[in-house]
């Protein structure tokens, strides 16, 4: 999904630039703008949120927003990139200590649903706007964020594919295509964020349990989801 001709050195340099933006001084409004945008985009929708409304919530003039983000879409893509990066970190932290492939898959599913109410909104935003990553952006900063998002999506697919492949190699996952299975698992896990609502009738614990059982059936393993 990453643009042709973009080297790993380019990705690393852009990632470093993105991290630098996030570590601005104590007077920076960047974190507050992002949190406010997550609340607005997640609850009302990106299309129905006015850029000026975010400035008003933060308590700054609309012009001041452009010190931090080139556009509303730039802010959206940044939110998506941050969530994708967090997903990579959660997956690694959950699966590395797992003693075997079945426990690793259970841990990966569980880690996907570790979420505060705002985390849930951010993941809803991500899954509702994945189509943005398919088309290059005219804005330089938007395109930088899009390319970083694509690289992270590739990394997530790679990590889940590796998990499935290990289970196949160990003889506990009875599937024949690791990449296809990984993509099916990711679709299964991510789908809940489109309809889940914090405080609703269905809890994240219930979603985790059902999804872990479904993941076990997908890889044709009776052990996934077992405590």
């Amino acid at each position: 999904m990453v643009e042709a001709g973009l080297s790993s050195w380019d990705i690393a340099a852009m990632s470093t630039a993105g991290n630098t933006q996030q570590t601005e001084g104590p007077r920076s409004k960047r974190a507050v703008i992002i949190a406010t945008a997550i609340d607005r985009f997640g609850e009302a929708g990106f299309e129905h949120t006015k850029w000026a409304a975010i400035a008003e919530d933060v308590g700054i003039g609309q012009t001041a927003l452009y010190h931090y983000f080139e556009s509303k879409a730039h802010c959206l893509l940044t939110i998506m990139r941050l969530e994708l990066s967090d997903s990579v970190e959660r997956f690694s932290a959950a699966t590395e200590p797992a003693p075997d492939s079945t426990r690793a898959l259970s841990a990966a599913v569980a880690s996907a649903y570790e979420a505060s109410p705002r985390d849930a909104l951010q993941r809803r935003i991500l899954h509702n706007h994945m189509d943005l990553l398919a088309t290059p952006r005219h804005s330089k900063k938007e395109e930088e964020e899009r390319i970083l998002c694509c690289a992270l999506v590739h990394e997530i697919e790679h990590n889940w594919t590796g998990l499935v492949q290990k289970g196949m190699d160990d003889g506990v996952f009875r599937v024949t295509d690791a990449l296809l299975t990984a993509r099916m698992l990711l679709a299964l896990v991510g789908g809940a964020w489109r309809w889940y609502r914090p405080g609703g009738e269905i809890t994240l614990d219930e979603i985790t349990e059902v999804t872990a059982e479904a993941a076990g059936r997908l890889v044709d393993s009776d052990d996934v989801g077992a405590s």
Side-chain angles (χ1 to χ4, degrees):
M1 295 183 66
V2 180
E3 294 296 301
L6 188 70
S7 71
S8 60
W9 293 103
D10 294 327
I11 291 291
M14 291 169 61
S15 180
T16 300
N19 290 336
T20 300
Q21 288 180 331
Q22 295 176 61
T23 56
E24 294 180 355
R27 296 171 64 87
S28 173
K29 298 287 187 181
R30 183 181 175 83
V32 178
I33 293 169
I34 289 174
T36 302
I38 289 171
D39 292 342
R40 283 277 187 169
F41 297 165
E43 292 170 0
F46 173 75
E47 295 81 3
H48 298 291
T49 299
K50 293 186 180 298
W51 200 213
I54 294 174
E56 183 178 353
D57 288 350
V58 174
I60 60 177
Q62 184 174 352
T63 304
L65 286 176
Y66 294 100
H67 172 71
Y68 301 98
F69 297 102
E70 195 169 79
S71 63
K72 188 172 73 163
H74 178 208
C75 183
L76 172 63
L77 287 161
T78 300
I79 289 170
M80 293 172 67
R81 188 253 303 165
L82 291 171
E83 174 53 38
L84 288 165
S85 179
D86 189 54
S87 177
V88 171
E89 293 177 4
R90 289 197 313 272
F91 178 92
S92 296
T95 58
E96 286 176 3
D100 53 56
S101 300
T102 56
R103 297 303 185 271
L105 181 53
S106 292
V109 171
S111 73
Y113 296 115
E114 295 171 355
S116 68
R118 181 169 286 151
D119 292 333
L121 291 178
Q122 187 166 355
R123 292 172 203 178
R124 184 190 310 167
I125 291 166
L126 172 66
H127 289 280
N128 283 344
H129 295 282
M130 287 294 290
D131 59 311
L132 286 181
L133 305 186
T135 307
R137 311 293 297 182
H138 295 298
S139 155
K140 178 182 177 181
K141 290 185 178 179
E142 289 177 22
E143 179 65 358
E144 287 176 351
E145 290 289 7
R146 186 191 73 86
I147 292 174
L148 287 171
C149 285
C150 290
L152 287 164
V153 168
H154 179 78
E155 183 175 359
I156 289 168
E157 278 194 352
H158 175 79
N159 290 343
W160 281 76
T161 301
L163 189 159
V164 174
Q165 186 62 57
K166 186 176 186 307
M168 292 168 60
D169 294 342
D170 292 344
V172 294
F173 293 171
R174 294 181 286 275
V175 293
T176 57
D177 189 318
L179 176 59
L180 176 59
T181 303
R183 288 175 171 170
M184 294 292 289
L185 287 167
L186 286 166
L188 172 67
V189 171
W193 297 116
R194 294 183 180 274
W195 53 261
Y196 168 76
R197 296 295 183 271
E201 294 183 0
I202 303 177
T203 68
L204 287 177
D205 286 342
E206 291 172 319
I207 294 172
T208 300
E209 181 178 357
V210 171
T211 305
E213 291 175 358
R217 291 194 293 272
L218 187 58
V219 299
D220 195 16
S221 172
D222 297 330
D223 295 329
V224 177
S227 58

